[in-house]
Amino acid sequence: LGKLDGCSEEEASAISSMVGLGALKYFILKVDPKKTMLFDPRESIDFNGNTGPFIQYTHARICSVLRKAAEQGISFEGEKIACELLPEEIELIKMLADYPTTVVAAGEAFAPSIIASYTYELCKTFNGYYHDHSILREENEAVKKMRLALAQQVARVINRSMRLLGIDVPERM
């Protein structure tokens, strides 16, 4: 992972361990329990694709945006925000709304891979959205606050999903 900004050596080591362990756990849990799996150490630590580090990095990226917003004094929690939503924002909101039914389905099927797949798709969708739409540089304050609130909710669901899989997500990477 290299040197982490604002982290001591101990914190960096803890994050590296968290990512390594998360990579292993996620690689195993993302596979349907009825299927055979062949472990590939290199694939498991890739920061692109359906891996634990990809999901952990997405969470850390969102936390970074939220930290920067706080440093800039941007407050959005508890506010009613009215603005027009983009199709990508509507898609993210729908995905967030699907979380409870996804957890129930995974429990009923005894298949943590359902949660892993959902979390990966949520991260992939968020990363595409983040790539195409500025959050902190958005000029319209209502839109900026809505995007921050949406990002915060995505981070919360990522955190909860990964905790269900027994995987920690760092706030920095």
Side-chain angles (χ1 to χ4, degrees), residues 16 31 33 41 44 61 87 108 110 117 120 129 132 156 160:
S16 292
V31 178
S44 74
R61 169 185 263 179
E108 289 174 348
F110 299 104
S117 177
Y120 170 66
Y129 169 74
D132 295 340
R156 284 181 179 157
R160 289 179 182 149

Side-chain angles (χ1 to χ4, degrees), residues 98-120:
D98 288 342
Y99 177 67
T101 55
T102 300
V103 172
V104 169
E108 289 174 348
F110 299 104
S113 60
I114 294 171
I115 293 172
S117 177
Y118 166 85
T119 309
Y120 170 66

Side-chain angles (χ1 to χ4, degrees), residues 17-78:
S17 295
M18 182 188 307
V19 172
L21 189 55
L24 175 61
K25 287 181 179 181
Y26 186 83
F27 195 90
I28 293 167
L29 293 172
K30 76 177 182 179
V31 178
D32 185 301
K34 296 176 184 102
K35 294 186 178 177
T36 304
M37 182 249 319
L38 180 63
F39 180 68
D40 179 350
R42 288 180 194 221
E43 182 183 335
S44 74
I45 59 170
D46 192 351
F47 277 79
N48 297 305
N50 191 1
T51 65
F54 172 76
I55 293 168
Q56 290 170 314
Y57 178 74
T58 301
H59 182 267
R61 169 185 263 179
I62 295 169
C63 289
S64 174
V65 169
L66 296 174
R67 269 193 310 278
K68 288 176 185 174
E71 289 167 4
Q72 294 174 19
I74 302 170
S75 175
F76 61 91
E77 293 187 68

Side-chain angles (χ1 to χ4, degrees), residues 78-121:
E79 289 190 34
K80 288 189 177 191
I81 304 166
C83 63
E84 194 168 323
L85 298 174
L86 298 171
E88 298 95 320
E89 293 160 345
I90 293 169
E91 177 64 23
L92 280 168
I93 292 167
K94 286 179 180 179
M95 290 180 86
L96 292 171
D98 288 342
Y99 177 67
T101 55
T102 300
V103 172
V104 169
E108 289 174 348
F110 299 104
S113 60
I114 294 171
I115 293 172
S117 177
Y118 166 85
T119 309
Y120 170 66
E121 290 300 323

